[in-house]
Amino acid sequence: MATKHDTDTVLERQTLKPPPMYQVALLNDDYTPMEFVVAVIQEYFNKDRETATQIMLSVHRYGKGVCGVFSKDIASTKVEFVLTHARKAGHPLQCVMEEV
């Protein structure tokens, strides 16, 4: 007994959207030293000293400086690392992630 296969079936192709990306930013405060902010940006975001200084100046002048854009898990991990490092050093530096 033979079975008949439907050869006319067309599979619909789903288009997948790329996962959302998140920017990680540092927020200004009146207590964290600028040099500490530069060091954090260099260590956790792999920026050279000049780029880190420019980001720090953006934090200082405009209240916020974007350090990079990452997937959700990586952005979340970076925020936690920065906050933990700042608290251990006794600084109130704030680090946030925002969907872009």
Side-chain angles (χ1 to χ4, degrees):
M1 189 172 223
T3 59
K4 182 178 177 183
H5 293 286
D6 186 12
T7 57
D8 295 330
T9 302
V10 177
L11 298 176
E12 288 186 39
R13 187 173 289 230
Q14 289 182 336
T15 53
L16 299 176
K17 295 187 296 185
M21 299 298 282
Y22 293 81
Q23 68 181 13
V24 177
L26 299 177
L27 304 180
N28 191 36
D29 64 68
D30 293 332
Y31 303 100
T32 305
M34 292 179 180
E35 194 56 42
F36 180 81
V37 175
V38 171
V40 164
I41 294 168
Q42 286 182 287
E43 182 174 346
Y44 294 103
F45 300 97
N46 299 316
K47 304 293 186 188
D48 59 66
R49 185 160 184 79
E50 184 176 331
T51 303
T53 301
Q54 291 302 314
I55 295 169
M56 176 276 297
L57 288 173
S58 180
V59 172
H60 180 67
R61 291 179 182 147
Y62 308 113
K64 180 167 95 172
V66 176
C67 299
V69 177
F70 309 95
S71 65
K72 185 176 184 176
D73 290 342
I74 293 173
S76 177
T77 300
K78 288 190 179 282
V79 167
E80 288 302 315
F81 283 164
V82 169
L83 292 176
T84 299
H85 183 85
R87 296 309 163 266
K88 283 183 181 178
H91 300 299
L93 180 64
Q94 289 296 307
C95 185
V96 297
M97 60 187 262
E98 304 165 336
E99 189 172 348
V100 292

